[in-house]
């Protein structure tokens, strides 16, 4: 089928998605990106919403094979920001009119950690007059824990599935990491009332274009509200690195796949929030702007203090680790300007899809 015909279809089939993922011609790719941007402009507006990202601890009990801060990587200096430091960052976000923040860390589910997070959520709500939106990205937890954090005021949760294919998921994780539990977590969050975000890594060893298309179909079938997916980027001190044959080839391909995935997802799920993820910028200095041009509408500026940024390296070449949050603010505003989007300050920026989903119930 002609590309134009596919781009204008109401319902894309799996074969259509595969055809789009296989596009390589420069002009064809531009048509895909332009169409995705047009859909974003129509359904969301030419807008970008910010979530200030606070990566508050790199302590992690898990051992994901691809991740630079996995438990067994003993080269990493472990840190956990103090409550005071985290609140200071949240206050900065509030004062700079970022509508919401994301609290992210390595995974822990011990009582002390859960209570630490309880307290932070409560205090952030207090210091911001209940105005700052709080998204959590704290991994797998029990349903009770998800519920108590929700009750305290967190309203969105991000948990990536990494791959919707169980075998691939298993290839990326040690045996005690359970794919089924991940799926349950997503279902539990939805039941509780969170806006649910998930995502995958794009282009890790062993993954094919067909697998990626099935990931897109997974988001659609699970009626996901927000997606944050990024290219897989090698980290030297991890087991997955050994499966990468040629890192240069991988980088070029994964940037290309990453942008295509964003654009195709925008065609498939027109009103959801799609993040322009930092991993894109690790592969190209303007990778995130390219994603905004291809249909993404969310940026997550890191607002963690400079002194902690170097130790939160999930992959190599992570950008902005020498900057301070205020530097990022100006730099990002200029970057978003080049795309032609407007930054929306002071709003939570919930996905229109979420409201449609709960109203249809
Ligand atoms: N490359 C890209 N993304 C990675 N993540 C972890 N390690 C890597 C890597 N090497 C992503 C995972 C995880 C999120 C916090 O970071 O998708 O869910
Ligand atoms: Fe821990 Fe997340 Fe890294 Fe896995 S991806 S090792 S859970 S920080």
């Amino acid at each position: 089928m002609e590309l134009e015909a596919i781009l204008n279809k109401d319902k894309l089939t799996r074969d259509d998605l595969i055809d789009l993922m296989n596009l390589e011609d420069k002009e064809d790719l531009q048509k895909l990106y332009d169409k995705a941007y047009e859909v974003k402009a129509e359904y969301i507006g030419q807008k970008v919403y910010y979530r200030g990202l606070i990566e508050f601890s790199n302590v992690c009990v898990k051992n994901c094979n691809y991740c630079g801060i996995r438990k067994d990587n003993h080269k990493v200096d472990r840190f956990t920001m103090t409550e005071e430091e985290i609140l200071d960052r949240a206050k900065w976000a509030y004062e700079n009119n970022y509508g919401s923040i994301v609290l992210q860390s390595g995974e822990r589910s011990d009582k002390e950690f859960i209570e630490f997070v309880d307290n932070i959520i409560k205090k952030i709500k207090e210091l911001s007059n209940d105005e700052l939106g709080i998204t959590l990205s704290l991994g797998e937890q029990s349903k009770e824990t998800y519920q108590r954090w929700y009750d305290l005021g967190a309203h969105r949760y991000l948990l990536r599935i990494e791959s919707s294919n169980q075998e691939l998921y298993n290839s990326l994780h040690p045996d005690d990491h359970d794919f089924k539990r991940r799926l349950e977590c997503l279902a539990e969050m939805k039941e509780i009332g969170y806006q649910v975000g998930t995502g995958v890594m794009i282009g890790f060893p062993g993954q094919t274009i067909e697998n990626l298309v099935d990931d897109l179909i997974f988001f659609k079938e699970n009626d996901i509200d927000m997606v944050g997916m990024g290219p897989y980027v090698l980290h030297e001190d991890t087991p997955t690195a050994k499966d990468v044959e040629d890192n240069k080839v991988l980088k070029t391909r994964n940037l290309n796949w990453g942008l295509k995935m964003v654009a195709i997802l925008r065609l498939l799920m027109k009103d959801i929030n799609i993040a322009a993820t930092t991993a894109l910028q690790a592969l190209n200095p303007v990778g995130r702007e390219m994603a905004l041009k291809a249909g993404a509408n969310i940026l997550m500026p890191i607002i963690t203090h400079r002194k902690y940024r170097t130790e939160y390296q999930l992959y190599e070449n992570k950008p902005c680790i020498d900057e301070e949050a205020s530097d990022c603010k100006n730099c990002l505003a200029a970057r978003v300007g080049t795309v032609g989007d407007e930054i929306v300050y002071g709003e939570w920026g919930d996905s229109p899809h979420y409201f449609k989903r709960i109203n249809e119930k």
Side-chain angles (χ1 to χ4, degrees):
M1 198 188 288
E2 285 292 314
L3 176 58
E4 273 79 7
I6 299 182
L7 292 177
N8 288 309
K9 271 174 96 167
D10 268 345
K11 275 210 165 104
L12 295 164
T13 63
R14 186 170 184 273
D15 285 342
D16 293 334
L17 301 177
I18 293 174
D19 283 352
L20 292 174
M21 267 313 279
N22 276 314
L23 291 180
E24 285 299 340
D25 179 72
K26 259 199 155 146
E27 278 178 27
D28 287 348
L29 282 173
Q30 198 54 51
K31 283 183 193 158
L32 168 66
Y33 300 148
D34 290 349
K35 181 69 189 178
Y37 190 79
E38 195 185 305
V39 171
K40 159 176 139 177
E42 184 181 340
Y43 285 80
I44 311 253
Q46 282 176 272
K47 294 178 185 168
V48 176
Y49 293 93
Y50 273 4
R51 284 88 178 80
L53 178 59
I54 306 176
E55 297 165 327
F56 68 84
S57 173
N58 64 358
V59 178
C60 187
V61 298
K62 290 243 167 128
N63 243 330
C64 307
N65 295 340
Y66 44 85
C67 177
I69 64 169
R70 65 200 300 274
K71 185 176 81 185
D72 286 354
N73 183 6
H74 300 295
K75 291 190 186 164
V76 176
D77 277 333
R78 305 284 165 174
F79 74 88
T80 301
M81 285 165 63
T82 63
E83 178 187 311
E84 206 185 2
E85 287 171 321
I86 299 172
L87 297 179
D88 169 72
R89 295 292 73 208
K91 195 152 168 273
W92 185 91
Y94 181 55
E95 286 169 352
N96 283 273
N97 217 7
Y98 284 24
S100 69
I101 55 159
V102 180
L103 293 173
Q104 188 172 72
S105 74
E107 196 169 304
R108 274 176 65 185
S109 51
D110 53 284
K111 189 162 173 281
E112 190 189 337
F113 179 78
I114 293 169
E115 289 172 357
F116 181 72
V117 175
D118 287 353
N119 207 18
I120 289 167
I121 298 173
K122 256 191 268 174
K123 292 202 168 141
I124 292 177
K125 281 287 164 191
E126 276 165 24
L127 73 81
S128 72
N129 270 328
D130 261 356
E131 284 171 27
L132 207 52
I134 303 179
T135 304
L136 301 178
S137 176
L138 305 173
E140 290 176 21
Q141 302 288 342
S142 69
K143 189 169 182 195
E144 291 68 39
T145 303
Y146 288 140
Q147 183 73 56
R148 66 195 265 168
W149 289 341
Y150 182 81
D151 294 340
L152 287 168
H155 67 131
R156 298 190 280 237
Y157 205 107
L158 306 172
L159 180 68
R160 288 190 180 178
I161 187 88
E162 313 299 355
S163 170
S164 62
N165 177 301
Q166 181 158 5
E167 268 170 48
L168 286 179
Y169 183 92
N170 291 342
S171 79
L172 290 172
H173 300 96
D175 289 347
D176 59 348
H177 294 39
D178 183 0
F179 179 76
K180 293 235 160 59
R181 178 63 205 140
R182 254 289 135 136
L183 290 174
E184 280 168 16
C185 285
L186 292 174
E188 288 171 2
M189 288 167 197
K190 207 186 235 182
E191 248 177 76
I192 291 171
Y194 280 103
Q195 290 172 52
V196 180
T198 190
V200 293
M201 281 194 307
I202 299 165
F204 56 81
Q207 190 188 36
T208 64
I209 278 190
E210 283 75 14
N211 296 140
L212 287 167
V213 163
D214 289 335
D215 291 339
L216 296 174
I217 294 170
F218 171 89
F219 302 145
K220 175 93 178 165
E221 284 179 348
N222 284 275
D223 216 8
I224 289 297
D225 302 309
M226 345 178 255
V227 172
M229 53 186 177
Y232 162 73
V233 182
L234 180 141
H235 190 295
E236 235 2 283
D237 307 314
T238 60
T240 305
K242 295 172 195 66
D243 299 330
V244 173
E245 277 166 27
D246 185 333
N247 195 25
K248 213 165 151 225
V249 173
L250 178 101
K251 283 182 176 174
T252 313
R253 187 201 65 179
N254 285 2
L255 175 68
N256 176 289
W257 280 8
L259 293 171
K260 280 196 269 196
M261 285 285 280
V262 166
I264 300 169
L265 180 60
R266 177 57 73 202
L267 301 183
L268 194 64
M269 300 185 79
K270 298 182 164 55
D271 59 356
I272 64 168
N273 279 345
I274 304 177
T277 53
T278 317
L280 287 163
Q281 200 186 344
L283 297 184
N284 186 303
V286 290
R288 287 190 299 185
E289 290 76 5
M290 293 161 98
L292 293 177
K293 269 292 191 201
N297 68 318
I298 302 290
L299 267 183
M300 297 165 59
I302 303 170
I303 59 171
T304 318
H305 275 304
R306 192 190 333 227
K307 68 173 174 179
Y308 293 124
R309 293 191 184 193
T310 39
E311 295 304 333
Y312 205 92
Q313 291 216 55
L314 309 181
Y315 42 80
E316 67 180 20
N317 201 21
K318 192 171 167 206
C320 306
I321 54 179
D322 296 327
E323 322 295 329
E324 212 36 282
S326 49
D327 306 336
C328 286
K329 191 184 178 199
N330 297 332
C331 164
L332 270 175
R335 284 159 173 268
V336 174
T338 64
V339 176
D341 282 348
E342 168 207 356
I343 302 168
V344 184
Y345 286 104
E347 286 181 27
W348 284 6
D350 292 331
S351 89
H353 185 81
Y354 167 75
F355 296 107
K356 229 172 101 196
R357 173 162 78 74
I358 53 171
N359 287 333
E360 277 167 6
K361 261 196 201 161

